[in-house]
Amino acid sequence: MGQLDASIVTLAFPALQRDFHASLAAAQWVSLAYLLALVGLLAGAGRLADAAGRKLVYLYGFLVFTVASAACGFAPTLEALIGFRVLQAAGAAMLQANSVALVVTSVPRTRMRAALGMQAAAQALGLALGPTVGGLLVGSAGWRWVFWVNVP
């Protein structure tokens, strides 16, 4: 979901501009804030997982990501949406910093290549499907569903 969310919002820019009476440059900060925060927090999330436990940080990552996704969908202003996206990125960083490590520690050595291949394929699929899913959601249900899709 973290990879999907990195690319899903791009098709929502025109709707965000319209609903928030914002410029394209301002609407693009919805993506930029997420990506900058994700990159900036990834190493720290990995370090936290080393100290506190991978499973715990991964589970809290799901919680933070899900709550922030719901908050993004309810955002009353573009500034609030950008702030919630930073929070969402913090959750995504906790997930992404631990996903490969959890696979490596959970899968028998004989199945490691297949497991890591599936994990990489899932990330690539999420990144690739983002614009298509985003376009369908924005076109049929509105931009808020680009974020609410992460909640279930």
Side-chain angles (χ1 to χ4, degrees), residues 1-9 30-31 34-39 42 58 61-62 64-66 69 85 87-97 99 119 122-131 146-147 149-151:
M1 291 307 292
Q3 293 296 338
L4 177 77
D5 217 67
S7 63
I8 196 171
V9 75
V30 174
S31 284
Y34 179 86
L35 293 172
L36 288 171
L38 178 63
V39 169
L42 202 53
Y58 196 79
F62 265 114
V64 170
F65 185 82
T66 303
S69 294
R85 285 286 281 174
L87 184 61
Q88 190 183 38
M94 289 188 275
L95 294 170
Q96 290 183 21
S99 61
Q119 193 269 346
Q123 285 193 353
L125 184 63
L127 195 58
L129 286 178
V146 166
F147 302 105
V149 73
N150 297 322
V151 175

Side-chain angles (χ1 to χ4, degrees), residues 66-101:
T66 303
V67 170
S69 294
C72 285
F74 288 113
T77 65
L78 186 60
E79 292 79 11
L81 178 56
I82 292 167
F84 292 139
R85 285 286 281 174
V86 170
L87 184 61
Q88 190 183 38
M94 289 188 275
L95 294 170
Q96 290 183 21
N98 289 296
S99 61
V100 172

Side-chain angles (χ1 to χ4, degrees), residues 87-136:
L87 184 61
Q88 190 183 38
M94 289 188 275
L95 294 170
Q96 290 183 21
N98 289 296
S99 61
V100 172
L102 286 171
V103 169
V104 168
T105 59
S106 302
V107 175
R109 197 175 241 329
T110 58
R111 301 195 30 90
M112 189 67 61
R113 283 186 184 176
L116 289 173
M118 289 181 73
Q119 193 269 346
Q123 285 193 353
L125 184 63
L127 195 58
L129 286 178
T132 303
V133 173
L136 289 171

